[in-house]
Amino acid sequence: MHSHTKLFRIIVAAVLLVVAVLIVHNIELPVWQQLLIFLVPYLVAGYDVLGEALEGIMEREPFNENLLMSIATLGALFIGFLPGAATEFPEAVFVMLFFQVGELFEHYAEDRSRKSIAELMDIRPDVAHVEREGGVQTVEPTSVSVGEIIEVRPGERVPMDGCILEGETTLDTVALTGESVPHMAHLGDSIISGSVNLTGVLKVRVEKTFGESTASKIIDLVENAGEHKSKSETFIARFAKVYTPIVVYVAIALALLPPLFAENFATAFPVWLNRALTFLVVSCPCALVISIPLTFFGGIGGASRRGILIKGSNYMDALSKVDTVVFDKTGTLTRGVFKVTAIHPEQCDEEQLLHLAAHVERFSTHPIAVSLREAYSHEQDGCTVEQVEEVSGQGVRAVVNGKMVCVGNTKMMEQLQVRFHPCELVGTIVHVAVEGEYFGHIVISDEMKSDAREAVAALKAAGVRRTVMLTGDRREVGEDVAKQLGLDEVHTELLPAEKVERVEALLEAKADGQSLIFVGDGMNDAPVLARADVGMAMGGLGSDAAIEAADVVIMDDKPSKVALAIALARRTVGIAMQNAWFAIGVKVLVLFLAAFGVATMWMAVFADVGVMVLAVLNAMRALKS
C-alpha cells in the first residue's frame, strides 16, 4: 500500500476516534452501541492488519506482529462485555493507530517507487541507420532484421550485435564490460550493441535481432534480478516471530489455569480472562513498533547527510551484518580516467619524450592521445608536424621538425625492427622511436582513487572477512590493482553475466545470517547490484541504471564511504537494539504486575507511552551521523 493512502487512513481514523470519544462521553449508551461507534475508526485504521493476521493463520505462519496487534486490540474492544470489567474502546483504537504510524515510518523510506529501469538505461540505442532501397533510412532498432546492413557513425551507440563489413574504428565498451581502454575494431571483427563508436564510420551486418542483442540482454538481467533478492526481514518482523507466540501462550495460560484451581470456576474465569486480556493489551509493543522504524528512519536521514543514500531499513539491517564486500574496478576503486603515470626516456629527457609523443598524437581523438596531450600542455611551441598517419592497430607516425617519429605499441616497434624495452609497470605502454632509433616509452594507466587503499583497510578494520574485486579489465591490470590495495581476491576479464555468476558463488560461500555488498558504478554493474544482498552504486559518475538498481548510493564516488555506511548502519541497529531491550524490560515488569491484577489499563498505557517517548528520544540520536 502506498504511504499517502496509509497516512490518509491514519488521519481519518484519528478524527473518527475523537468523534467517538465525544459521543460516548456525552451520551449514555449501552456497551454494544459504544462498540459499534468505536469499530468504525478501529476498522478504518486496522482492516489490513486484521486481514494479514488472518492470512498468516491460513498459511500456518500465524505468529507475526499483525496477529499480536489483532489479538491485543480485539481483546481491548471486547473486554468490556465481561462481568465487572471496564470498557477499553479508545485504548484499542489508539493502539492500532500507533501501530499504523510505526508502519508508515517503516514504509516511507522504501516507498519512493523505482521507475522502470529501462527508461534510465543510457545503453539502449534509440535509432539505427539501415541501408534500404538504395539509401540509408533512420529507423527504430526493433524493426531491423538479421542480415541487414546498418551504418554506425562516430559518437553513436551500436544498436545491435553484428560483424564489420567496412571501416575501422576505436570502440568504447566501458559501459558493457568495464574494460577501461577503448579498443580497435577492424574489418571482419564482431561488434556488440551498447558500445560507442568513437572514430570511424562503420558498415555492420546485423547478426542478432534487437531483442537478442547484448544491450537488451543486460537490461533484461537487471529487470529480473530483483526477483532473486533476499530481502533481510525487517527487525520488527523477526522480533515478533519470537515475542508473539510467548505472549499469546502466556495469556491463554493466564486465562485458563488459575480458574481451574479456583474454588468456583464460573466466578474466577471472568476475573482471570480480564487479566489475560489486560496482559495482552499491555504486551502490545507500541514503543518498539514506533521507535524502531523511527531509529532506522533517523539512521537513513543521518547517512544521507553524509552523502550516502540508503533506500530502505532492510538494507540498513543487512549493511550492519556484512561478511563479504565485492568491488568493481573501473570507476569504483580507480577513477576510470587515463593519465600518464610514468615516463621512461632512453636517448632524451622526460620532457622531450612527452613532447614528441604529444605532437604526433596531436589530431587523434583516442583517449590515449588525449591523455598524452593533457600531460604535455605546451602544444604551441613552434614545432612543425607534417604527414601525420594513423597505422591501424599499431599507432601513429608523423614528421616532427623534419624527423620521422613513430608512437605506438609493441607491434609498431617490431614492424620498424626497433629494439625496445618492455616495462615492468602495468598499464598501456606507448613506445616512441625517432628515425628508427628507440627513444623510450610512456606508461598510461587508470588512476587509483585517492582513498581506495584506505577504504579497503577500513573494511578490514571493521571486521569484513572477505574483500573481492571483479573486473572486465585485463588480468595483469586487475591483479596489479588488487595487490596495491591489499584485496583478498580478484577475478578479471569478466563479462556482465559472468560477474553475476561470481557473485552467486560468493553468496553461496558467505557465512549464515551475514550479507554480501557489491560496490560498482557502471552500466555493466546493474545486474550484479540488483543480485547482491546490498548493491552499492557510486552516484557521482555512475550511470543512471546502476543508481536505479542499487540499494545504497554513494553520492561523491568515494570508496571510503563504504566503511562509513557500514559503521552508520551498525550504530543505527545498535540504537534499535537498545530501544528493544529497554522496552521489553519495562514491558516484562508491567506484565508481571498485570498478571497479578496490580496493573490497571491506564498504568499499562502510561508505561507504554512513557517508554515510547524515551525510546523515540533515543531513536533521534540516529539522526546525528
Side-chain angles (χ1 to χ4, degrees), residues 476-519:
E476 59 273 24
V477 175
E479 286 177 354
D480 180 60
V481 170
K483 197 167 119 216
Q484 286 185 55
L485 297 180
L487 291 160
D488 297 328
E489 58 186 274
V490 58
H491 302 281
T492 56
E493 299 178 15
L494 300 174
L495 287 166
E498 292 169 331
K499 283 192 184 180
V500 176
E501 281 164 26
R502 286 281 175 198
V503 167
E504 301 260 352
L506 289 164
L507 282 165
E508 291 285 308
K510 70 178 186 183
D512 271 354
Q514 301 291 298
S515 50
L516 175 143
I517 298 184
F518 177 82
V519 191

Side-chain angles (χ1 to χ4, degrees), residues 2-10 48 100 103-104 107:
H2 296 304
S3 297
H4 48 262
T5 322
K6 186 163 270 195
L7 179 63
F8 177 70
R9 276 177 44 211
I10 289 169
D48 53 335
Q100 292 288 35
E103 287 274 288
L104 186 69
H107 291 305

Side-chain angles (χ1 to χ4, degrees), residues 123-154:
I123 183 182
R124 182 166 273 169
D126 302 321
V127 295
H129 310 295
V130 63
E131 291 188 358
R132 283 181 190 162
E133 298 161 16
V136 175
Q137 298 178 7
T138 301
V139 297
E140 287 272 319
T142 43
S143 70
V144 181
S145 348
V146 173
E148 286 199 273
I149 312 292
I150 55 170
E151 191 176 273
V152 187
R153 298 157 191 172

Side-chain angles (χ1 to χ4, degrees), residues 66-83:
N66 295 308
L67 181 75
L68 184 62
M69 283 296 152
S70 303
I71 295 178
T73 52
L74 289 171
L77 282 175
F78 290 103
I79 203 166
F81 291 93
L82 292 175

Side-chain angles (χ1 to χ4, degrees), residues 12 71 101 108 146 160 226-227 262 273 294 307 371 396 399 429 434 441-442 459 495 500 577 580 584 603 607 615:
V12 171
I71 295 178
V101 170
Y108 185 72
V146 173
M160 43 252 294
E227 292 170 17
L273 182 63
L294 223 130
S371 54
V396 183
V399 176
I429 314 296
V434 181
H441 54 255
I442 297 165
L459 289 172
L495 287 166
V500 176
M577 294 302 282
I584 290 166
M603 184 175 161

Side-chain angles (χ1 to χ4, degrees), residues 298-320:
I300 289 169
S304 70
R305 291 217 288 272
R306 302 290 294 269
I308 301 164
L309 303 183
I310 299 170
K311 292 187 182 177
S313 56
N314 46 342
Y315 305 123
M316 181 75 93
D317 200 23
L319 268 177
S320 69

